[in-house]
Amino acid sequence: MQTIQISSATGTPPFDFSICDYTNTYCYSVATSISIFPITVDIPVTLEGVSTILIVITDSNSCTEFIPYSCPSQTPTQTPTQTPTPSSVITDCSCITFDNVTGSSTHQYFYTDCDGVSQIGDIDEKLILYFCGKDPSSDSSEVIISINSLCFDGTCPEPTPTVTPTISLTPTLTPTISLTPTNTPTISLTPTNTPTISLTPSITPTSSPLPPTKAFLFIEPYTGSSNIGSWMFSSLGSGFYGFTNGTQPTQVQATFDVELNTYVDFSGWTTGLFPSIINQDVPQITGGVDSYGNPMIAYNFKTTMVTANTVSSGKAWFTWMIPTGQTNGLYQNKIDYSTSSPAILTTVSTESTIYSYYFTYTGTTIPQTTYRVYTTYPSTNFELLNSTDIYFRGNTVS
């Protein structure tokens, strides 16, 4: 049996410890009322062999901390005895969803099942199909493919479907928000009776949302990992807990939208708990240079500086959120950065499994519009120490 030694915990003792799968769908209590360290706990049998698990620590004040833990590879001598034990969990066999609900015709899908056999089939329009396997693909971009939690005994875990009703709330929220503009005509009828209020028509276009012209940089410090993790967990339950907790947004469009709206709604961005959100212009035409002497290229945000010690201690994840309109509907797939000089920049690719999805923001933290999210997670290029000035610049859209 695999074990973990825990040497300390942050908070007010005594502590309770649980071990969960990386999606926080399955959790197992492994120790309670702990005040003396170190302790050694067993990894639950059903999670043995999994590459990453989640250690959940709850103190006496019910404050919860989520700590991702990468399980070490088993030694060759253990392999013969350990391999049969977790036979119910195939670490590369996941729940696959093929979604053709918005499609206009029948398409083919492909994947490899849990036994390593290649599968092919047809998915009709307005259908969603679920399978256990890996390496999914389709002959059409109309089919939305998502890879979710691990399969158990060749089937998807039962708790997975319970996410669907939660996500279905999103469409019902949309018409509620759309009622706001429908109230505007009602108000505009009042001025028609009073000539002096004829200014109302000119006020209406001013108060209506203008297309955001900025790119926004979110800085998530490791010192606040428990804050963002607790907020996300209390708001959504399982899923995305923030990049400092070793997670990334779910690769299902409807869930991605809910998770990112919740993430941006976190009060820490505006109360001073986290560094303030930095915004930058996105040129819409090519020409000239920015204030740091770098060329301005259409749809790529200008050179942006994060002043040294904006993050007072430790590393942080740096994430750009850019309105789709500002990139002309393209992806900001390459970004330049430097920790030394705005004239000496390194170009890195942003993570396509994140920027392939979008979210339409409905809150008040940043302008309400549709955004894509650009970071290098899980690559650590944008996991940076801010002891010096840091510079970012949009490099390529495609």
Side-chain angles (χ1 to χ4, degrees), residues 215-231:
F216 297 92
L217 176 61
F218 286 72
I219 304 173
E220 183 189 326
Y222 271 92
T223 54
S225 60
S226 61
N227 299 97
I228 189 68
S230 296
W231 162 256

Side-chain angles (χ1 to χ4, degrees), residues 50-61:
V50 176
S51 60
T52 303
I53 58 177
L54 200 63
I55 301 173
V56 181
I57 306 172
T58 305
D59 72 1
S60 60
N61 294 322

Side-chain angles (χ1 to χ4, degrees), residues 219 221 274-276 278 305-316 318 384-390:
I219 304 173
F274 281 10
S276 298
I278 297 173
M305 182 180 75
V306 181
T307 305
N309 298 314
T310 297
V311 180
S312 58
S313 65
K315 290 185 176 181
F318 293 77
L384 297 169
L385 191 65
N386 188 210
S387 56
T388 61
D389 295 339
I390 301 174

Side-chain angles (χ1 to χ4, degrees), residues 14-262:
F15 300 93
D16 294 336
F17 293 85
S18 297
I19 293 180
C20 309
D21 69 305
Y22 73 101
T23 66
N24 202 37
T25 301
Y26 295 94
C27 292
Y28 307 86
S29 176
V30 294
T32 58
S33 300
I34 301 299
S35 299
I36 301 175
F37 294 92
I39 64 169
T40 300
V41 298
D42 296 329
I43 295 179
V45 174
T46 54
L47 296 180
E48 286 186 347
V50 176
S51 60
T52 303
I53 58 177
L54 200 63
I55 301 173
V56 181
I57 306 172
T58 305
D59 72 1
S60 60
N61 294 322
S62 298
C63 294
T64 303
E65 181 178 8
F66 303 89
I67 302 177
Y69 176 80
S70 297
C71 300
S73 301
Q74 297 179 9
T75 61
T77 56
Q78 291 177 320
T79 302
T81 55
Q82 294 286 20
T83 300
T85 304
S87 60
S88 61
V89 182
I90 304 177
T91 56
D92 61 350
C93 186
S94 302
C95 297
I96 300 171
T97 303
F98 294 92
D99 183 348
N100 196 27
V101 171
T102 60
S104 58
S105 59
T106 299
H107 300 293
Q108 285 190 316
Y109 62 84
F110 314 89
Y111 72 100
T112 302
D113 66 20
C114 298
D115 296 322
V117 179
S118 297
Q119 302 290 337
I120 183 173
D122 294 326
I123 179 170
D124 295 330
E125 58 186 301
K126 313 303 180 187
L127 284 183
I128 300 178
L129 299 179
Y130 304 89
F131 300 99
C132 281
K134 61 181 180 179
D135 303 325
S137 60
S138 174
D139 64 351
S140 172
S141 60
E142 285 191 339
V143 179
I144 300 172
I145 300 172
S146 58
I147 302 174
N148 304 300
S149 56
L150 296 176
C151 287
F152 286 76
D153 291 323
T155 60
C156 292
E158 290 185 3
T160 302
T162 61
V163 179
T164 305
T166 305
I167 298 169
S168 68
L169 292 177
T170 304
T172 59
L173 289 174
T174 305
T176 304
I177 296 167
S178 67
L179 290 176
T180 302
T182 61
N183 288 334
T184 305
T186 306
I187 296 169
S188 66
L189 291 176
T190 303
T192 59
N193 297 326
T194 309
T196 57
I197 311 179
S198 60
L199 292 176
T200 301
S202 64
I203 294 173
T204 302
T206 305
S207 60
S208 60
L210 296 174
T213 58
K214 304 284 187 178
F216 297 92
L217 176 61
F218 286 72
I219 304 173
E220 183 189 326
Y222 271 92
T223 54
S225 60
S226 61
N227 299 97
I228 189 68
S230 296
W231 162 256
M232 298 298 290
F233 180 77
S234 63
S235 301
L236 300 176
S238 62
F240 177 46
Y241 306 119
F243 297 106
T244 56
N245 285 304
T247 61
Q248 73 177 56
T250 304
Q251 295 176 36
V252 176
Q253 178 54 59
T255 312
F256 186 96
D257 188 279
V258 174
E259 289 179 341
L260 264 296
N261 264 276
T262 304

Side-chain angles (χ1 to χ4, degrees), residues 261-280:
N261 264 276
T262 304
Y263 183 77
V264 175
D265 278 342
F266 176 54
S267 62
W269 306 117
T270 55
T271 60
L273 180 63
F274 281 10
S276 298
I277 299 167
I278 297 173
N279 65 76
Q280 182 56 275

Side-chain angles (χ1 to χ4, degrees), residues 304-356:
T304 307
M305 182 180 75
V306 181
T307 305
N309 298 314
T310 297
V311 180
S312 58
S313 65
K315 290 185 176 181
W317 277 99
F318 293 77
T319 303
W320 285 92
M321 299 189 188
I322 307 176
T324 57
Q326 291 305 294
T327 59
N328 197 32
L330 303 173
Y331 300 132
Q332 182 78 71
N333 62 345
K334 292 186 185 298
I335 293 178
D336 294 338
Y337 82 104
S338 172
T339 56
S340 58
S341 167
I344 306 173
L345 298 168
T346 300
T347 302
V348 296
S349 297
T350 52
E351 178 54 49
S352 62
T353 61
I354 296 177
Y355 71 59
S356 296

